[in-house]
Amino acid sequence: MLYMIVGEDVPNSLENRLATRPAHLARLEALQNAGRIILGGPLPAIDSPDPGTAGFSGSLIVGEFESLTAAQAWADADPYVAAGVYARVTVKPFKQVFPKG
């Protein structure tokens, strides 16, 4: 089943986010290589694809996991969580309607 994972950044997270980004991306690449990621990316803090020093307000991932418990465990193990980039992570079941498969 698909699950939506939304991480919400703490204020002024950009420096910590950038330092931790390689480890965060490595986990996402592993999920992609397993064919289990639908989409993922950061949420710019301002209305721009390149927010510069404004940074990001969080991240969104939609991926396939065996269960809500498995998705939550995966999210809890994210390097951004360990590094204190995220203030909160929300994991919910997701039903994809578009694009149609």
Side-chain angles (χ1 to χ4, degrees):
M1 180 162 177
L2 297 179
Y3 295 88
M4 171 206 77
I5 301 169
V6 176
E8 297 177 50
D9 282 25
V10 299
N12 304 309
S13 65
L14 185 59
E15 184 177 330
N16 199 7
R17 177 183 266 272
L18 292 175
T20 311
R21 188 170 188 257
H24 172 76
L25 290 181
R27 293 183 80 240
L28 291 172
E29 288 171 3
L31 197 64
Q32 179 178 332
N33 291 341
R36 296 175 41 211
I37 193 165
I38 304 303
L39 64 90
L43 307 172
I46 60 173
D47 190 13
S48 172
D50 182 3
T53 58
F56 300 92
S57 63
S59 302
L60 167 68
I61 300 164
V62 177
E64 185 176 351
F65 296 89
E66 309 81 47
S67 65
L68 178 58
T69 302
Q72 185 69 60
W74 188 88
D76 290 344
D78 193 290
Y80 281 174
V81 172
V85 172
Y86 291 153
R88 174 179 39 212
V89 177
T90 302
V91 180
K92 293 184 177 185
F94 178 81
K95 180 180 177 185
Q96 182 177 353
V97 175
F98 291 100
K100 294 180 180 183

